[in-house]
Amino acid sequence: MKAIRLRAAHLFEPLGLGIAAPRLFWNVEGGVRQTAYRIVARRDGAPVWDTGKVASSRTTHIPYEGAALRSRDRVEWSVAVWDENDSEGESATSWFELGLLDPSDWTAQWITGDYEPARDVRYPVDHFRREFPLRRPVRRARLYLTAAGVYEASLNGSPVGDIRLAPGATDYRHRLQYHAFDVTDLLEANNALEIQLADGWYRGSIGAYGVTNVFGRRTKLLAQLELVYDDGSAETVVSDADWATRRACTSATGWRPPSSATPCRAAHPCRRRPPPTCTTR
């Protein structure tokens, strides 16, 4: 018997978990009935949890009870199971990685376009761009992104992730979720990170009557790229006033006809803005 479909917090190999002690799940194949299991978890190769052999048929909602985990920790965990004949099967392995668990982990600043939005006027997407070099070979790179609006990101012309309309619908008065992306393989010697920001549910035309500016009039972006080099040193590229911004020339955002588009603007420095009245976790 072997454990399959290993999941943490219901997710397969999740990146950017906001739960310091996720619950673990698996299914089994081969045999008739699981009679025991053993979970072993490691962080940076060092053991942080070993359940030993546990007599149980349980395969769901098993809480992580190892050493306390911190933001950005990556944990590899394995499961071995015993069948109805008390025969131990081959171990199966998976992993999960925590995101930014504490607000103080965020050093990025909220940025917005260089214009004052007018009432009942629709605007094209805002484009943000930041160029940066790599100082040495990179071991790991994580991009943490959220917005008051919806965004698409690219690094050196390649899409970042496959999520559409990120970060998704939410009640901006209470919560603003973020996504974490592994962008290690997208990096080059000289890099350009570009993000397009549209109205979405934040200020777009939504509902049966096309109401706009439901949560606010000014869209905002928060981006934090964390680089860990092979020598163990680290560097962070964050959204701030050093980013360039411009407006698209093609169409208005949201679900209105493109005739409401405003002219394209040349690139300008970004403007810092306070965050929406909600959490970023």
Side-chain angles (χ1 to χ4, degrees):
M1 178 174 285
K2 181 178 180 180
I4 60 172
R5 293 173 51 82
L6 275 62
R7 306 177 300 284
H10 299 278
L11 302 171
F12 294 99
E13 299 182 341
L15 176 66
L17 269 185
I19 306 170
R23 295 180 183 271
L24 306 178
F25 304 73
W26 64 85
N27 299 101
V28 294
E29 65 177 5
V32 176
R33 180 171 58 91
Q34 172 187 304
T35 58
Y37 68 81
R38 180 188 181 188
I39 302 173
V40 177
R42 294 178 173 82
R43 176 180 56 194
D44 297 328
V48 291
W49 187 37
D50 188 339
T51 65
K53 184 179 179 181
V54 178
S56 172
S57 61
R58 188 178 178 185
T59 63
T60 69
H61 296 87
I62 299 174
Y64 170 84
E65 296 178 339
L69 301 178
R70 305 176 298 271
S71 296
R72 308 173 182 86
D73 276 349
R74 185 182 180 96
V75 175
E76 293 187 357
W77 61 287
S78 61
V79 181
V81 296
W82 282 257
D83 65 12
E84 68 279 2
N85 298 315
D86 199 33
S87 176
E88 181 181 2
E90 178 186 355
S91 294
T93 303
S94 185
W95 59 266
F96 62 85
E97 183 174 314
L98 302 189
L100 307 180
L101 302 181
D102 193 272
S104 62
D105 293 326
W106 289 91
T107 58
Q109 302 167 3
W110 286 96
I111 56 175
T112 186
D114 65 325
Y115 59 96
E116 292 292 341
R119 183 180 178 85
D120 298 327
V121 175
R122 305 304 307 285
Y123 293 92
V125 297
D126 291 323
H127 286 222
F128 300 91
R129 179 182 174 92
R130 175 65 185 272
E131 298 180 0
F132 61 95
L134 292 184
R135 307 182 187 282
R136 55 189 70 88
V138 171
R139 179 196 310 165
R140 185 177 71 179
R142 300 290 185 264
L143 176 61
Y144 304 96
L145 268 177
T146 190
V150 294
Y151 68 80
E152 285 189 2
S154 65
L155 183 57
N156 300 318
S158 297
V160 173
D162 57 1
I163 301 171
R164 297 294 177 262
L165 301 178
T170 187
D171 186 340
Y172 292 92
R173 298 169 297 179
H174 304 291
R175 173 180 295 186
L176 182 55
Q177 58 266 27
Y178 68 91
H179 286 101
F181 301 98
D182 182 352
V183 295
T184 309
D185 293 339
L186 301 182
L187 291 169
E188 301 175 357
N190 293 287
N191 301 274
L193 175 59
E194 297 185 81
I195 303 172
Q196 301 181 60
L197 177 62
D199 294 351
W201 294 271
Y202 185 73
R203 76 174 183 190
S205 174
I206 61 176
Y209 298 100
V211 178
T212 60
N213 305 315
V214 173
F215 294 101
R217 189 174 296 177
R218 190 177 271 285
T219 54
K220 310 171 185 69
L221 175 70
L222 191 69
Q224 184 160 307
L225 173 61
E226 298 186 352
L227 307 171
V228 178
Y229 294 106
D230 282 348
D231 62 5
S233 61
E235 182 179 3
T236 305
V237 178
V238 299
S239 52
D240 55 22
D242 292 335
W243 287 47
T245 181
R246 65 180 176 85
R247 272 186 276 164
C249 307
T250 53
S251 65
T253 61
W255 296 271
R256 287 288 184 89
S259 58
S260 58
T262 55
C264 181
R265 302 273 307 264
H268 292 279
C270 288
R271 181 182 301 180
R272 288 183 55 187
R273 298 296 295 182
T277 55
C278 59
T279 63
T280 56
R281 292 175 54 196

